[in-house]
Structures are given as C-alpha cells and as structure tokens.
C-alpha cells in the first residue's frame, strides 16, 4: 500500500538514553518499540510510547525524545510515495490479534537486523510496510462512526459509510457519485480532499485489509479470498495484492503466520 524504501535499519537493545534530545532528518523516521518507554514531541503531537507502539516523524520535523525506561526498538530511516495518507505520528492500541502480527514482524526484523543484502532489504521493506498498514488501519478504523466523524463533509461521510458496508461487493464510482449528485471527477476530488485517498484507493485498502485477515486466520484458497473480497478471481486478486504489498498473497501468508 505504501511503497516503502528503507535507507537504514538499526536494532537497539535496552538503550538507556538518546545521544541527542532532539533531531531532524531529511527522510521519514520510524521507531518500532518492543520494550520500554520514551516520551516524544513532534509538532503538536506529544505523548509516551511503550511496547507495541510505532512512532513516525516526517522529514525535516524536529523530533524531541527522552527515554523513560530502557528501550528496545527498531529504528528506520525511509521514504515512501504515499506520505499524504499517513499522519505525523501513529500511536494506536493494538488488540491481541494485532499484537501477534506485530511480534511476528519484529521477530523477522531482529533475525535480519545485521543483514544489509538486497534480499534482506526487500523483506525489511515489506515488514515495515506491513507494520505501517497495521497501525494506520487500527488508528483510522476505530468503528464506522469514529472514522466518519473525522470527515466534515456530509456527502463524503455518506460515501464512507457505504464503502465500509459494501467494499467487498461490486462497486461503481460513477454510480456512487451520481447518487450523491456529483460527477465522477467532482466526487473523486472531493473524496480525496476529505479522506486523503482516492475512492478506489480507499476501497482497495478496505478489501486488502480483509484479505490480510483471511490469509492469516483461515485456510481459504486465493480463489475463495478473492470472491470474499470483491475480486473477480484469484489471479486478479494476486495482481492487486502484489502491486500494493510488494509481496504475493501466498508469501504474505507464509511470512506472517505464527
């Protein structure tokens, strides 16, 4: 979904303090916390991050941080093209299912922390992208009412409700726009301004979120998953999944299952 490209990955075990109390960087920075706690401030975002947290700092922003208890974490310096779909920080509470997926990704990252080969970088890109998706989807879904309440445009709220309820059914942007009294171009522009994604991107993200769950929690075939997620067949579903996730559905299932 994000097209992540990692420039640097470092794993720190029980770090006692940061060398600098604040810093800036030309790239995006991510802290994936396995153990401990630290306080941070990024623009208006301020809080404490502990085990199971992911904190992002955008390029050229001042990142204030202070370790409160010994910190074990993955540090990433990276870039990705769809930055507009991500906020300045991600700090969501994970449920048990999400925690298992988080820990699984962290284990693979630890196992390859010192490997800087092109093959390892490919897998690390995928693992970080999956963590970003995991936290972004958790932070942003929070139930239909909470998600739509963040959008001030009543017409787009209606569209969000409809997409969330029917994402895995055949959908037409043209028909949806007409139901709202808009042309497809007007609807797309208005939706993207309110949500940060095009309608097609948004629906695809909902479908792939469900697909990821089915890949990890069921024994359904790709054809079964394609049908349940609104795709014509397993081949087309695999193309979409691989293009957005940079990994095939089968590889994703094998890599992330515990």
């Amino acid at each position: 979904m994000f097209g992540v490209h990692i420039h640097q990955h470092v794993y720190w075990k029980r770090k006692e303090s940061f060398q600098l109390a604040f810093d800036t960087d030309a790239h995006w920075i991510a802290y994936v916390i396995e153990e401990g706690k630290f306080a941070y401030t990024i623009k208006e975002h301020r809080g404490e991050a502990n085990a199971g947290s992911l904190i992002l700092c955008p390029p050229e922003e001042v990142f204030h941080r202070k370790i409160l208890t010994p910190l074990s974490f993955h540090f990433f310096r990276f870039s990705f093209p769809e930055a507009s779909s991500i906020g300045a920080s991600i700090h969501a509470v994970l449920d048990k299912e999400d925690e298992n997926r988080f820990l699984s990704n962290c284990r693979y990252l630890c196992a390859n922390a010192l490997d800087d080969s092109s093959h390892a970088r490919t897998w690390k890109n995928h693992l970080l992208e999956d963590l970003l998706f995991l936290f972004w989807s958790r932070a942003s879904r929070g139930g239909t009412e909470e998600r739509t309440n963040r959008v001030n445009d009543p017409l787009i709220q209606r569209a969000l409700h409809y997409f969330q309820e029917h994402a895995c059914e055949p959908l037409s942007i043209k028909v949806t726009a007409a139901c709202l009294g808009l042309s497809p171009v007007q609807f797309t522009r208005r939706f993207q301004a309110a949500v940060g994604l095009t309608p097609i991107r948004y629906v695809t993200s909902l479908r792939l979120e469900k697909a990821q769950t089915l890949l990890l929690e069921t024994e359904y075939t790709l054809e079964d998953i394609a049908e349940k997620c609104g795709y014509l067949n397993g081949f087309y579903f695999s193309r979409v999944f691989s293009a957005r996730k940079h990994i095939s559905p089968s590889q994703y299932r094998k890599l992330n299952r515990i």
Side-chain angles (χ1 to χ4, degrees), residues 39-60:
Y40 69 92
T41 300
I42 307 169
K43 298 177 65 175
E44 72 276 12
H45 300 270
R46 176 178 300 177
E48 293 183 359
N50 50 22
S53 296
L54 184 150
I55 302 299
L56 289 178
C57 182
E60 307 300 345

Side-chain angles (χ1 to χ4, degrees), residues 26-42:
H27 297 98
W28 281 80
I29 298 297
Y31 283 60
V32 179
I33 313 303
E34 289 189 354
E35 180 185 13
K37 181 188 296 185
F38 83 104
Y40 69 92
T41 300
I42 307 169

Side-chain angles (χ1 to χ4, degrees), residues 62-75:
V62 180
F63 189 0
H64 295 267
R65 61 274 173 99
K66 179 181 180 180
I67 292 179
L68 303 176
T69 62
L71 200 66
S72 297
F73 66 100
H74 295 271
F75 167 87

Side-chain angles (χ1 to χ4, degrees), residues 113-134:
L114 299 178
D115 189 347
D116 198 40
S117 66
S118 59
H119 178 73
R121 280 179 174 268
T122 297
W123 284 111
K124 288 180 183 181
N125 286 338
H126 160 68
L127 292 168
L128 176 57
E129 182 168 300
D130 190 66
L131 286 168
L132 287 170
F133 180 87
L134 175 65

Side-chain angles (χ1 to χ4, degrees), residues 30-226:
Y31 283 60
V32 179
I33 313 303
E34 289 189 354
E35 180 185 13
K37 181 188 296 185
F38 83 104
Y40 69 92
T41 300
I42 307 169
K43 298 177 65 175
E44 72 276 12
H45 300 270
R46 176 178 300 177
E48 293 183 359
N50 50 22
S53 296
L54 184 150
I55 302 299
L56 289 178
C57 182
E60 307 300 345
E61 292 293 345
V62 180
F63 189 0
H64 295 267
R65 61 274 173 99
K66 179 181 180 180
I67 292 179
L68 303 176
T69 62
L71 200 66
S72 297
F73 66 100
H74 295 271
F75 167 87
F76 293 97
R77 178 180 288 111
F78 67 101
S79 57
F80 62 112
E82 295 188 23
S84 62
S85 66
I86 298 293
S89 65
I90 298 180
H91 192 174
V93 177
L94 302 180
D95 59 23
K96 187 62 178 178
E97 172 190 323
D98 292 335
E99 287 180 4
N100 290 337
R101 186 161 148 193
F102 172 87
L103 293 173
S104 176
N105 282 341
C106 285
R107 281 200 298 270
Y108 282 106
L109 286 168
C110 284
N112 295 279
L114 299 178
D115 189 347
D116 198 40
S117 66
S118 59
H119 178 73
R121 280 179 174 268
T122 297
W123 284 111
K124 288 180 183 181
N125 286 338
H126 160 68
L127 292 168
L128 176 57
E129 182 168 300
D130 190 66
L131 286 168
L132 287 170
F133 180 87
L134 175 65
F135 279 85
W136 174 80
S137 61
R138 187 66 187 176
S140 61
R141 64 180 182 252
T144 300
E145 183 177 356
E146 181 179 343
R147 180 197 285 271
T148 55
N149 281 345
R150 293 186 182 134
V151 175
N152 295 323
D153 189 326
L155 285 182
I156 301 306
Q157 285 183 345
R158 288 171 55 190
L160 284 170
H161 277 297
Y162 182 78
F163 286 155
Q164 289 159 6
E165 293 175 4
H166 303 282
C168 295
E169 302 171 13
L171 290 172
S172 167
I173 300 302
K174 182 177 181 180
V175 171
T176 304
C179 289
L180 298 174
L182 300 171
S183 71
V185 172
Q186 289 173 325
F187 172 59
T188 297
R189 289 176 177 170
R190 195 159 162 176
F191 189 96
Q192 187 165 15
V195 180
L197 297 171
T198 65
I200 293 175
R201 283 274 183 176
Y202 180 76
V203 170
T204 299
S205 72
L206 294 177
R207 289 179 173 182
L208 293 186
E209 182 179 341
K210 180 175 181 178
Q212 287 177 294
T213 299
L214 294 177
L215 285 167
L216 298 183
E217 296 183 358
T218 75
E219 298 297 332
Y220 289 145
T221 66
L222 296 188
E223 289 292 334
D224 292 334
I225 293 175

